[in-house]
């Protein structure tokens, strides 16, 4: 890579990564990535979900150690101390989920873990004054004596930043800082960030919001599939070209041939003006045998919507109708009986009993099928396991193994088998291939395709765009709790989805 | 070809041997060790009479602990069982003393039903406070423990409540002191309750739901299991078991007092933990629980026969046992 010398924030390099690679359990997620951060710049780190941004941030802030490569701080190679101890070096990370204890005051939060004492007693007066000074520096009106729990999300964000400054941060990582902020709050945050930048603090800004990246940052680095793609001054790019850089890859032969749905097929599921706390006014239909995709950024409300449809979450308003019959709100069992099943994306904490064997997991949702009057027939359950192992190719050497000891791929197949035991006509699959190897991915895609050919309707929710594009004949794109686009046929492309998901383009939901 | 198959089965067998859950075996191994220890201390110990005696006296705790196995497997805890015994027993004796039914046999039948209903309602109260009221089971049942104990003290005015009618006493006595086919009734009741409980826990939909809820309530909810109903029913089962224990307890002395059942919650929970049921839920072992209750009684028996530890220390010994059992459980988990 060539190092850039132009652009704003033309200071010396503060923190840099040289040929950083990282593997988790033998799966490589970063491939020899270079990154450098100059004094007094705001540097955007962009990439699709799973591109390796978070891993890079964790490595540069000491929360993970690289498998190979080196990190330099002020030109010297360093090993960053783990678990946030890098704060002592002036490297601070502001997490997506705030790290503030709700029952402390603002002052207590700022000095948490490094309380100032006089004669062994807390020097509250000094700490309060210091907190006030830092908050004033930021132009924030937050009361230093207020409880964290009483603050708005934007103010909490501000306290996090104050905390960073009070620790003399030179490098601040911000992971999706504006995800929960309103436009005004975002503007205020940006104003403070620019002010600090002009005083020499460096920021790494991780965000999916292209417009904000264009507005705020000085340089952009794009990662894709764990590889460094480009680093460039923001001024010479536009949203379109960044989106292009983030996705530009071809679909491989992972996916089975698509089968265009018959437009005359009956509508089996219709969701009408559904709203929950976050999801707003969502309306769509699914036809028999269709695979409908749901795309969007993390936090766009897809899972919340699906859980509301499946009865796992109560609905504020709107209806879910399966073949003309209304599905009651907040009743999983009723939705199951009406032929709708939801497969969670969180197989380890919501999908499988990790300490139980395969059989107990497989039949948990469909025990009615294995005996009368509440009695369970072991023979019938054993048959079900035998069938499921064959049908979904679950490969384990020992049939009595507990689910927690199976590979991720086999767990995912078992979870799919468990959901299919309820014999649903409509299956919502949330992140069908999270954390599994490519071979199993391909198998799961073929299972999904076969289920659709059987006449079942499938909704695939995925953050991996190629997956949605490779499998689905129609794709809904969600953003901030709403469906902002419904793509069909040739319209389904990564660039197009990205435009809707990032808010560059809007269209009434079809 | 043939040999490779053979090797595979041998491999399989070796693995199965290694896979035997130490937690399931440990309580029975401890029981055998205790029996050997007891035999060394006093030759009378290992006699059939003494052992039958020990088993009979373990009945109250064993039966209550069976109920506790359900509550603990579903991830909850019931501290009120000791107080509940005293309360239900008081109500039952007061009912029999009220003389609303003249015929002793009919009166006894009604009183048995009355106790069963009272126990179930006490359990239901615990369950509803925990699930509908969304209060930690530890706190909810600590509260009802105080309530049941306080009501008992009030009913008895601080003294004892005694069954007055000699005719009733006479026909009720065999429920504790009688035997069926030479086996003392309490032992028969233990076996019957355990068999039913094992069937429910291992062979029914409800039992599977209990384990699922205790092992991961989120997974249970995502699988369409009515989590709160499952938990509440476990508390009702606990109440029912307390009632059955009361049915055996009342004929033994024919009276109860404000101090009946003190520390029985400690013994019941200890029996469950010693039996290998995980205190964080998700793995119920009914037969292990019975084994645990028997171990507790045996320890008391050995102390009595040996004369080198004061029997007044029994509570301290039981407290030690539950702590040691937890330490053993944890180290077994770590190894696996």
């Amino acid at each position: 890579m060539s190092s850039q010398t132009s652009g704003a924030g033309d200071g010396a390099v503060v923190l840099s990564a040289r040929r950083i690679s990282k593997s988790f359990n033998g799966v490589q997620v970063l491939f020899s990535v270079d990154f450098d951060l100059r004094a007094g710049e705001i540097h955007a780190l962009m990439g699709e979900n799973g591109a390796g941004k978070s891993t890079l941030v964790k490595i540069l802030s000491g929360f993970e150690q690289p498998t190979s490569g080196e990190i330099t701080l002020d030109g010297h190679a360093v090993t960053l101390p783990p678990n946030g101890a890098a704060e002592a070096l002036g490297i601070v990370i502001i997490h997506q989920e705030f790290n503030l204890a709700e029952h402390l005051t603002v002052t207590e939060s700022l000095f948490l873990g490094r309380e100032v004492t006089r004669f062994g007693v807390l020097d509250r007066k000094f700490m309060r004054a210091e907190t006030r000074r830092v908050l004033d520096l930021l132009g924030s009106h937050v009361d230093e004596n207020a409880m964290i729990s009483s603050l708005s999300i934007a103010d909490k964000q501000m306290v996090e930043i104050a905390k960073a400054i009070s620790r003399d941060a030179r490098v601040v990582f911000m992971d999706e800082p504006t995800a929960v902020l309103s436009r005004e709050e975002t503007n205020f945050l940006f104003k403070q960030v620019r002010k600090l930048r002009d005083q020499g603090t460096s920021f790494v800004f991780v965000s999916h919001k292209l417009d904000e990246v264009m507005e705020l940052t000085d340089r952009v680095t794009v990662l894709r599939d764990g590889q460094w793609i480009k680093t460039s001054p923001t001024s010479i790019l536009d949203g379109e070209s960044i989106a292009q850089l983030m996705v530009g890859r071809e679909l491989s032969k992972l996916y089975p041939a698509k089968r265009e749905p018959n437009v005359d097929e009956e509508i089996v599921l219709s969701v009408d003006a559904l709203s929950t706390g976050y999801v707003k006014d969502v309306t769509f239909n699914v036809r028999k045998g269709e695979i409908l995709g749901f795309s969007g950024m993390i936090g766009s409300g897809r899972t919340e919507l699906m859980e509301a449809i499946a009865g796992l979450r109560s609905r504020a308003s709107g209806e879910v109708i399966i073949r003309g019959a209304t599905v009651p709100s907040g009743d999983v069992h009723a939705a199951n009986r009406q032929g709708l099943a939801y497969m969670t994306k969180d197989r380890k904490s919501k999908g499988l009993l990790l300490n139980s064997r395969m059989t107990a997991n497989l039949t948990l949702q469909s025990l009615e099928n294995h005996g009368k009057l509440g009695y369970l027939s072991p023979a019938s359950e054993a048959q079900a396991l035998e069938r499921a192992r064959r049908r979904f190719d679950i490969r384990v050497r020992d049939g009595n193994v507990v689910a927690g000891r199976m590979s991720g791929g086999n767990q995912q197949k078992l979870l799919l088998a468990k959901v299919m035991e309820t014999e649903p006509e409509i299956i919502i699959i949330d992140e069908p291939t999270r954390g599994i190897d490519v071979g199993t991915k391909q198998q799961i895609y073929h299972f999904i395709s076969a289920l659709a050919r059987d006449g079942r309707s499938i909704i695939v929710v995925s953050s991996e765009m190629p997956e949605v594009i490779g499998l689905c004949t129609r794709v809904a794109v969600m953003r901030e709790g709403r469906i902002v686009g419904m793509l069909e046929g040739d319209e389904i492309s990564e660039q197009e989805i990205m435009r809707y998901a990032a808010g560059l383009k809007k269209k009434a939901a079809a | 070809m043939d040999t490779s198959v053979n090797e595979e089965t041998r491999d399989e067998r070796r693995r199965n041997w290694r896979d035997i859950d130490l937690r399931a075996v440990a309580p029975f191994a401890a029981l055998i060790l205790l029996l050997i220890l007891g035999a060394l201390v006093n030759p009378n110990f290992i006699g059939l009479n003494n052992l039958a005696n020990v088993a009979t006296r373990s009945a109250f705790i064993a039966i209550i602990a069976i109920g506790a196995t359900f509550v603990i497997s579903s991830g909850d805890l019931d501290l009120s069982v000791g107080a509940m015994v005293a309360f239900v027993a008081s109500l039952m004796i007061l009912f029999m003393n009220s003389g609303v039914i003249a015929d002793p046999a009919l009166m006894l039948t009604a009183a048995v039903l009355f106790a069963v209903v009272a126990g179930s309602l006490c359990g239901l109260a615990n369950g509803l406070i925990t699930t509908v009221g969304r209060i930690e089971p530890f706190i909810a049942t600590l509260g009802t423990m105080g309530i049941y104990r306080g009501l008992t003290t009030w009913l008895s005015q601080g003294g004892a409540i005694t069954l007055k009618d000699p005719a009733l006493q006479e026909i009720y006595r065999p429920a504790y002191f009688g035997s069926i086919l030479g086996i003392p009734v309490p032992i028969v009741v233990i076996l019957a309750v355990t068999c039913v409980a094992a069937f429910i826990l291992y062979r029914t939909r409800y039992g599977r739901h209990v384990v699922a809820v205790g092992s991961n309530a989120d997974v249970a909810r995502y699988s369409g299991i009515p989590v709160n109903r499952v938990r509440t029913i476990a508390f009702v089962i606990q109440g029912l078991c307390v009632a059955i224990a009361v049915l055996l307890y009342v004929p033994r002395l024919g009276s109860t007092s404000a101090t009946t059942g003190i520390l029985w919650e400690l013994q019941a929970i200890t029996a469950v933990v010693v039996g290998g049921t995980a205190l964080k839920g998700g793995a119920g072992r009914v037969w292990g629980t019975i084994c645990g209750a028997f171990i507790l009684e045996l320890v008391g028996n050995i102390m009595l026969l040996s004369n080198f530890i004061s029997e007044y220390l029994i509570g301290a010994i039981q407290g030690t046992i539950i702590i040691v059992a937890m330490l053993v459980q944890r180290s077994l988990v770590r190894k696996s």
Side-chain angles (χ1 to χ4, degrees), chain A residues 307 312 332-333 342 344 349-353 360 363-365 367-368 374-376 378 381 397-398 405 418, chain B residues 11-12 15-16 19 199 203-206 208-209 211-212 215-216 218-225 336:
Chain A
E307 291 190 351
L312 284 157
V332 192
H333 201 62
Y342 170 74
T344 174
S349 65
K350 290 175 180 155
L352 297 175
L353 299 173
T363 57
L364 188 61
Q365 203 159 353
L367 290 170
E368 295 89 342
Y375 169 72
L376 294 176
E381 289 193 79
R397 288 176 57 196
D398 176 4
R405 291 208 193 160
K418 170 190 165 185
Chain B
D11 194 33
E12 195 97 337
R15 199 165 41 245
N16 286 345
D19 276 357
F199 179 81
R203 283 292 153 81
T204 67
R205 205 152 72 204
Y206 175 72
R208 208 56 81 69
H209 286 176
V211 173
S215 130
N216 187 332
D218 265 335
V219 172
R221 195 168 73 84
Y222 274 72
S223 304
I225 294 171
S336 61

Side-chain angles (χ1 to χ4, degrees), chain A residues 116 137 139-140 144 170 227 254 261 359 386 406:
Chain A
V116 179
L137 196 73
S140 166
E144 68 272 21
R170 306 169 58 208
Q227 316 238 13
L254 263 178
T359 319
E386 200 45 50
M406 294 163 60

